[in-house]
Amino acid sequence: MLTLAPVCGPEAPIARANPVAKLAAVALLTTVALVAADWLTPLLLLAFVAAVLPFTGIRPGPLAVRLRWLWAAAGTVVLVNAVFAAEQTGRTLVAFGPVEISTGALLDGTAIGLRVCVAATAGVLVFATTDPTDLADALTQQLKAPARFTIGSLAALRLLPLLAAEWRQITTARRARGLEGGWNPLRRTRLFASTMFALLVGAIRRAGRLAAAMDARGFDTEIPRTHAREQRMRPADWALIGLAAAAGAAAVAISAATGTFTV
């Protein structure tokens, strides 16, 4: 069953950090990776993320499962940008008919792919080490986010496993009634569309009941709400943000020193 619980050890240093501090650290790293147009800066940032991995308490297996499609997408980005570059510069590596890949285009594509890897890996590390309830509490307490929006989003995240269970129930019930697509692509498409429609109708009904329940509990009022779980920014959280800022500055400084940094 799909779950949204963190996949790390509860005593890991990154797992115990404030969710807002982790989001700020990821925002700093991602901003530096997206601003820099060279390949060395995101590569150094990716090395920093890899160095932080032992402090997250995440096992390599669950992390690889969560990253496999994102890294595959990054590889596709590299290939597409290398093949369809506006200008092929440098030494030609591949020349097969109309397809041509040069060193310059490959480096540019690699730079874009590495930026995708930095943003994806850092984001997955944050959400794999953060409980959704703690994230909602931190957003409402530290960032003063509206409780109605934050708690509603938390409830939606908690209901995702229910959607997966309902999808299996609908497909199993239809299979028991003999409604299967088999090898017919048109029939499979129709069954998929009807299943999605049934799931959407159930989700809208559930969202309506949830909104009515939240309004009955005063989530639409301006009265300040209290919190059962208090989230604080500790010195270790500020140190995490400072470490991310230092890593970004060091990556830019090294790239500039080697003459590869571009914006």
Side-chain angles (χ1 to χ4, degrees):
M1 179 178 290
L2 174 65
T3 59
L4 296 170
V7 295
C8 64
E11 299 302 322
I14 301 298
R16 290 186 281 109
N18 189 291
V20 170
K22 289 186 277 189
L23 289 178
V26 169
L28 287 171
L29 295 178
T30 304
T31 301
V32 174
L34 294 179
V35 169
D38 63 294
W39 60 270
L40 183 57
T41 302
L43 182 61
L44 294 173
L45 293 176
L46 195 60
F48 169 75
V49 173
V52 174
L53 183 60
F55 300 96
T56 61
I58 301 178
R59 294 170 295 172
L63 180 62
V65 170
R66 283 163 170 76
L67 285 175
R68 66 185 187 278
W69 295 114
L70 296 174
W71 279 62
T76 304
V77 168
V78 173
L79 183 61
V80 169
N81 282 271
V83 173
F84 298 101
E87 184 179 0
Q88 297 287 344
T89 60
R91 184 168 57 90
T92 300
L93 299 176
V94 176
F96 183 75
V99 178
E100 182 179 352
I101 301 177
S102 63
T103 55
L106 184 60
L107 283 177
D108 293 339
T110 301
I112 299 174
L114 287 174
R115 279 182 274 178
V116 174
C117 289
V118 170
T121 306
V124 167
L125 285 180
V126 166
F127 287 101
T129 58
T130 304
D131 186 86
T133 303
D134 294 337
L135 177 60
D137 290 336
L139 290 176
T140 55
Q141 295 177 41
Q142 269 72 55
L143 298 184
K144 306 302 179 183
R148 181 185 177 93
F149 170 77
T150 306
I151 304 302
S153 301
L154 173 63
L157 287 175
R158 292 299 189 190
L159 289 175
L160 278 179
L162 182 59
L163 291 178
E166 286 185 349
W167 179 275
R168 288 193 297 269
Q169 290 175 358
I170 293 174
T171 53
T172 303
R174 290 184 172 183
R175 190 178 299 114
R177 293 162 53 193
L179 298 177
E180 288 188 285
W183 294 101
N184 189 326
L186 180 60
R187 186 180 302 172
R188 291 176 67 91
T189 302
R190 291 177 58 187
L191 285 175
F192 178 81
S194 61
T195 305
M196 284 293 297
F197 181 75
L199 204 64
L200 177 62
V201 170
I204 292 175
R205 291 176 178 173
R206 193 176 298 110
R209 292 194 297 267
L210 178 62
M214 291 182 65
D215 289 344
R217 288 165 174 79
F219 277 93
D220 60 341
T221 64
E222 299 296 332
I223 301 175
R225 304 185 64 85
T226 58
H227 301 278
R229 298 167 298 272
E230 191 170 356
Q231 296 282 343
R232 291 190 177 93
M233 289 290 291
R234 298 169 298 176
D237 300 321
W238 292 109
L240 177 62
I241 298 175
L243 183 62
V252 171
I254 294 175
S255 300
T258 57
T260 60
F261 180 77
T262 57
V263 178

